[in-house]
Amino acid sequence: MSWEVKKGPEIMSQRGWLVDKASLVLLTKARVIDPSQDLDTVTDILIERGKIKKIGDIDKKELENYHTLDLEGKILAPGFFDMHVHLREPGQEEKETITTGSTAAVAGGFTGVACMPNTNPSLDNVGVVRWVYDMAAGGPVDVHPIAAVTIGRKGTQLTDISDLYHAGVRAISNDGDPVGKADVMRRALEYSQLHDLVISTHSEEHDLAAGGVMREGEMSTRLGMKPWSSLAESVMVARDVLLAEFTGGRLHVGHISSWQSIEMVRWAKGRGVKVTCEATPHHIALTDEACATYDSSFKMNPPLGSKEDREAVIQGLIDGTIDAIATDHAPHTVEEKLVEFSFAPNGVVGLETAIGVVANELVNPEKMSWNEIVQKMAIAPREILRLPSASIQEGEVANLTLIDPEAVWKVDASKFFTKGRNTPFDGKNLHAKPLGVLNRGWILICPDARMLWS
Amino acid sequence: MALHSKHLLGLENVPKVDIQSILDAAVSFKEILERPIPKVPTLRHVTVVNLFFENSTRTRISFELAEKRLSADVVNFSASSSSVSKGETLIDTVRNLEAMKIDLVVMRHPMPGAPQLLAKHCSSKVINAGDGSHEHPTQALLDMMTIRETFGNFEDLRITIVGDISHSRVALSNIHGLQTMGAKVAVCGPPTLIPRALEKLGVKIYYDVDEAIANSDVLNVLRIQKERQEDGLFPSIREYHTLYGITRERMKNASRELVILHPGPINRGVELDGEVADGPQSVILQQVTNGVAVRMAILFLLSRGEGGRDELGS
């Protein structure tokens, strides 16, 4: 375990979290949801040294020296996985570090994250990628670096994709500087098939984005803001699904946000193209109208869309066109964000509010069930990245997320574990609260839920 | 008589009664400007900073004159570039000025929403002297004062704004203000210079300037910046002039009642022929005079008001 890793649990412990590595734990009366096995039942689970020993009726008389976590009325699911975060390290530690990002992940109910390569230096070689693994090794959060498609994310020369795969990498992406040249993207989609690697895209056609700061539409016109057409995204998605079909490569469209892009993915899926996509909680919850106060907490890339875009995102999640929910957690410093909207950097933090926002927007209005949410936030991301599942089975690693579906809580950005305070949900009441996680032998339970532990 | 707002950030959502108050007060101030000693002691207790992050000789001088005619203490602060490149944030800049005890900030800024940022994070009253392509409320108010002097009221008056609507703060403020007062606002220009979904603001769109002329009581002709042609938004200045220039020939077919406004500075021979600009239907210099009166009215009314109910303008 790296010396850095211990800091995360230490920070959480100092802030009232229960942090334990108990060898024998009995989780009682939880509603256990695991759609990968069609499981949705109230039962007990015995964990021994970080592994699931037994599911079902457990005779306590046979147990000695064990702890109990009373989960009556709570949800227990495979550990949630956020396949799109920015941990900013190396290079921008004032915004976030692997350690602080991991604590935010735990606080938000995630046991794993895939971090984007737009660091400095970028994650474009085995050395830097290994360093990221080392920084997170042994901690409670599985950190999977997504490597760059091209050297320095410049869009010309492919990275050593095979070497990166052997170092552990399961996805490549140029993130915010998408591969502009179609022929380079074509070669990447061809070459990545050597290892069934997925190419995750930030779909943005540079010229069509035209330096815009918010989605082009009535609001950008009213606010006089430089418009950013949804075409920037949808034209790029159209190009990439065509390239994916032609090459047979695997494409994952990150943070899909416009109805046209979603239509494009739906069309491609219908043709059997190997394409998946994800949407963010902020595109599920908000539209461009939120920019009316010129508050840069609502500025991100892709920008908030129209009402039709938001409805398409929700519909796409319901009908399966959109496979996963990912936050695009993008911390920035307060100083960077507290400026003129047009000058502020793009991005909002998302790890600590994701479950609550999703519950507010999808579960409470009965648009989606918790089963479906677990599918989108725990099962699908690992499948897309070809990572081992976190399924709840005897003999498997106890990689679990605990959620109180009834809790109502108020977002207070000043109390976040991430260094970022740039959330569009500050002060908002959310339903459903992550209570903690179990992963890699760690047990982390939030202060509100400590009394469930004995 | 005070405004409902502590600030003047834009004309969107400013109630009719406030626009009326400003225009009425401006009439009185215009009368003061015509006196042998065109100066009153009304704001001698007030300190105003003219904070200009963008060059604007005309607007800055107009504000400065308005402030001096009202006996306010005036400080000018010009920064050629953005606050970001100076390394000091906009909020810090203004808080520093506030530490020297100022009352009111008049700000021109290249970025939309910059006045809203100030209003939220600083304690001074803020007058927006133009924020990017968003609003320029004092320009729209002086346009409205000029229109009212000609027509008496705004009800059902047909006003068409001609030119680069996409990059114009003047257009948006005029649209909001004039609509509030009951006028019918249209725009005219090539499709590449008309922002998306503008019709949702209740604005009629003409692509044919002759049709616009035939259906308007007022033309407000906007300056065409040569950079827009370089950005590829229209093919050439020559073609723009052919399609949208307000020429002497076009004016021959226009009603004699048609009034021509222009916020200045004029590109003679591009959007407006010199002969039309100097002709009998032009009220362009009257606009400039009214600019001082309107700005005096706004400074006076905002200084009187004790903050109002809540901030107006978007």
Side-chain angles (χ1 to χ4, degrees), chain B residues 252-283:
Chain B
K252 276 184 193 156
N253 302 325
S255 147
R256 289 223 190 116
E257 311 298 317
L258 184 71
V259 168
I260 305 288
L261 276 76
H262 191 299
I266 305 169
N267 273 322
R268 286 173 184 259
V270 181
E271 70 270 4
L272 192 60
D273 276 6
E275 222 172 299
V276 181
D278 302 331
Q281 283 164 273
S282 161
V283 291

Coordinates of all heavy atoms in Angstrom, one line a residue, chain B residues 252-283:
Chain B
K252 N -35.5 56.7 -50.9 CA -36.4 57.3 -51.9 C -37.7 56.6 -51.8 O -38.8 57.3 -52.0 CB -35.8 57.3 -53.3 CG -34.9 58.4 -53.6 CD -34.5 58.3 -55.0 CE -33.3 59.2 -55.3 NZ -32.5 58.8 -56.5
N253 N -37.7 55.3 -51.7 CA -38.9 54.5 -51.6 C -39.6 54.5 -50.3 O -40.7 54.0 -50.1 CB -38.7 53.1 -52.1 CG -38.1 53.1 -53.5 OD1 -38.4 53.9 -54.3 ND2 -37.2 52.2 -53.8
A254 N -38.8 55.0 -49.3 CA -39.4 54.9 -47.9 C -40.3 56.0 -47.6 O -40.3 57.0 -48.2 CB -38.2 54.9 -46.9
S255 N -41.1 55.7 -46.6 CA -42.0 56.8 -46.1 C -41.2 58.0 -45.6 O -40.2 57.8 -45.0 CB -42.9 56.2 -45.0 OG -43.2 57.2 -44.1
R256 N -41.8 59.2 -45.7 CA -41.1 60.4 -45.2 C -41.1 60.4 -43.7 O -40.4 61.2 -43.1 CB -41.8 61.6 -45.8 CG -41.5 61.7 -47.3 CD -41.2 63.2 -47.6 NE -41.2 63.3 -49.1 CZ -42.0 64.0 -49.8 NH1 -42.9 64.8 -49.1 NH2 -41.9 64.1 -51.1
E257 N -42.0 59.6 -43.1 CA -42.1 59.6 -41.7 C -41.0 58.7 -41.0 O -40.8 58.7 -39.8 CB -43.5 59.0 -41.2 CG -44.7 59.7 -41.9 CD -44.7 61.2 -41.6 OE1 -44.5 61.5 -40.4 OE2 -45.0 62.0 -42.6
L258 N -40.4 57.8 -41.9 CA -39.4 56.9 -41.3 C -38.2 57.6 -40.7 O -37.7 58.6 -41.2 CB -38.8 56.0 -42.5 CG -37.9 54.9 -42.0 CD1 -38.6 53.8 -41.3 CD2 -37.2 54.3 -43.3
V259 N -37.9 57.2 -39.5 CA -36.8 57.8 -38.7 C -35.6 56.9 -38.6 O -35.8 55.7 -38.4 CB -37.3 58.2 -37.3 CG1 -36.2 58.6 -36.4 CG2 -38.4 59.3 -37.4
I260 N -34.4 57.4 -38.8 CA -33.2 56.6 -38.8 C -32.4 56.9 -37.5 O -32.0 58.0 -37.2 CB -32.3 57.0 -40.0 CG1 -33.1 56.8 -41.3 CG2 -31.0 56.1 -40.0 CD1 -33.4 55.4 -41.7
L261 N -32.2 55.8 -36.8 CA -31.3 55.9 -35.6 C -30.0 55.1 -35.9 O -30.0 54.1 -36.7 CB -32.0 55.3 -34.4 CG -32.9 56.1 -33.5 CD1 -34.2 56.3 -34.3 CD2 -33.1 55.5 -32.2
H262 N -29.0 55.4 -35.2 CA -27.7 54.6 -35.3 C -27.0 54.9 -34.0 O -26.8 56.0 -33.5 CB -26.9 55.1 -36.5 CG -25.7 54.2 -36.8 ND1 -24.7 54.0 -35.9 CD2 -25.4 53.5 -37.9 CE1 -23.8 53.1 -36.5 NE2 -24.2 52.8 -37.7
P263 N -26.5 53.8 -33.3 CA -25.9 54.0 -32.0 C -24.4 54.5 -32.1 O -23.8 54.9 -31.1 CB -25.9 52.6 -31.4 CG -26.0 51.6 -32.6 CD -26.7 52.4 -33.6
G264 N -23.9 54.5 -33.4 CA -22.6 55.1 -33.6 C -21.5 54.1 -33.1 O -21.8 53.3 -32.3
P265 N -20.3 54.3 -33.5 CA -19.9 55.1 -34.6 C -20.3 54.6 -35.9 O -20.3 53.3 -36.1 CB -18.3 55.2 -34.4 CG -17.9 54.0 -33.6 CD -19.1 53.6 -32.8
I266 N -20.5 55.5 -36.9 CA -21.1 55.0 -38.2 C -19.9 54.6 -39.1 O -18.9 55.3 -39.1 CB -21.8 56.2 -38.8 CG1 -22.9 56.7 -37.9 CG2 -22.4 55.8 -40.2 CD1 -23.5 58.0 -38.4
N267 N -20.1 53.5 -39.8 CA -19.3 53.2 -40.9 C -20.0 53.8 -42.2 O -20.8 53.1 -42.8 CB -19.2 51.7 -41.1 CG -18.1 51.0 -40.3 OD1 -17.0 51.6 -40.1 ND2 -18.4 49.9 -39.8
R268 N -19.6 55.0 -42.5 CA -20.3 55.6 -43.6 C -20.1 54.8 -44.9 O -19.0 54.4 -45.2 CB -19.8 57.0 -43.8 CG -20.4 58.0 -42.8 CD -19.8 59.4 -42.9 NE -20.3 60.2 -41.8 CZ -21.3 61.1 -41.9 NH1 -21.9 61.3 -43.1 NH2 -21.7 61.7 -40.8
G269 N -21.1 54.6 -45.6 CA -21.0 53.8 -46.9 C -21.0 52.3 -46.7 O -21.0 51.6 -47.7
V270 N -21.1 51.8 -45.5 CA -21.2 50.4 -45.3 C -22.7 50.1 -44.9 O -23.5 49.8 -45.7 CB -20.3 49.9 -44.2 CG1 -20.4 48.4 -44.0 CG2 -18.8 50.2 -44.6
E271 N -23.0 50.3 -43.6 CA -24.4 50.1 -43.2 C -25.3 51.3 -43.5 O -26.5 51.1 -43.5 CB -24.5 49.7 -41.7 CG -24.2 50.7 -40.7 CD -22.7 50.8 -40.3 OE1 -21.9 50.1 -40.9 OE2 -22.4 51.6 -39.4
L272 N -24.7 52.4 -43.6 CA -25.5 53.7 -43.8 C -24.8 54.6 -44.7 O -23.6 54.9 -44.5 CB -25.7 54.3 -42.4 CG -26.7 55.4 -42.2 CD1 -28.1 54.9 -42.5 CD2 -26.7 55.9 -40.7
D273 N -25.5 55.2 -45.7 CA -24.9 56.2 -46.5 C -24.7 57.5 -45.8 O -25.6 57.8 -45.0 CB -25.7 56.4 -47.8 CG -25.4 55.4 -48.9 OD1 -24.6 54.4 -48.6 OD2 -26.0 55.5 -50.0
G274 N -23.6 58.2 -46.0 CA -23.4 59.5 -45.4 C -24.6 60.4 -45.6 O -25.0 61.1 -44.6
E275 N -25.1 60.4 -46.7 CA -26.2 61.3 -47.1 C -27.5 61.1 -46.2 O -28.2 62.0 -45.8 CB -26.6 61.2 -48.5 CG -26.8 62.4 -49.3 CD -27.0 62.2 -50.8 OE1 -26.0 61.7 -51.4 OE2 -28.0 62.5 -51.3
V276 N -27.7 59.8 -46.0 CA -28.8 59.4 -45.1 C -28.5 59.8 -43.7 O -29.4 60.3 -42.9 CB -29.2 57.9 -45.2 CG1 -30.4 57.6 -44.4 CG2 -29.4 57.6 -46.7
A277 N -27.3 59.5 -43.2 CA -26.9 59.8 -41.9 C -27.1 61.3 -41.6 O -27.4 61.7 -40.5 CB -25.5 59.4 -41.6
D278 N -26.8 62.1 -42.5 CA -26.8 63.6 -42.3 C -28.2 64.2 -42.8 O -28.4 65.4 -42.7 CB -25.7 64.3 -43.1 CG -24.3 63.7 -42.7 OD1 -24.2 63.3 -41.5 OD2 -23.4 63.7 -43.5
G279 N -29.0 63.3 -43.3 CA -30.3 63.8 -43.9 C -31.4 64.1 -42.9 O -31.2 63.9 -41.7
P280 N -32.5 64.6 -43.4 CA -33.6 65.1 -42.5 C -34.3 64.0 -41.7 O -34.8 64.3 -40.7 CB -34.6 65.7 -43.5 CG -34.3 65.0 -44.8 CD -32.8 64.7 -44.8
Q281 N -34.2 62.7 -42.1 CA -34.8 61.7 -41.4 C -33.9 61.1 -40.3 O -34.4 60.2 -39.5 CB -35.3 60.6 -42.3 CG -36.6 61.1 -43.1 CD -36.9 60.2 -44.3 OE1 -36.4 60.5 -45.4 NE2 -37.7 59.2 -44.1
S282 N -32.7 61.5 -40.3 CA -31.8 61.0 -39.3 C -31.9 61.7 -37.9 O -32.0 63.0 -37.9 CB -30.3 61.1 -39.8 OG -29.4 61.0 -38.7
V283 N -31.9 61.0 -36.8 CA -31.9 61.7 -35.5 C -30.7 61.3 -34.7 O -30.7 61.3 -33.5 CB -33.2 61.3 -34.8 CG1 -34.4 61.9 -35.4 CG2 -33.4 59.8 -34.7

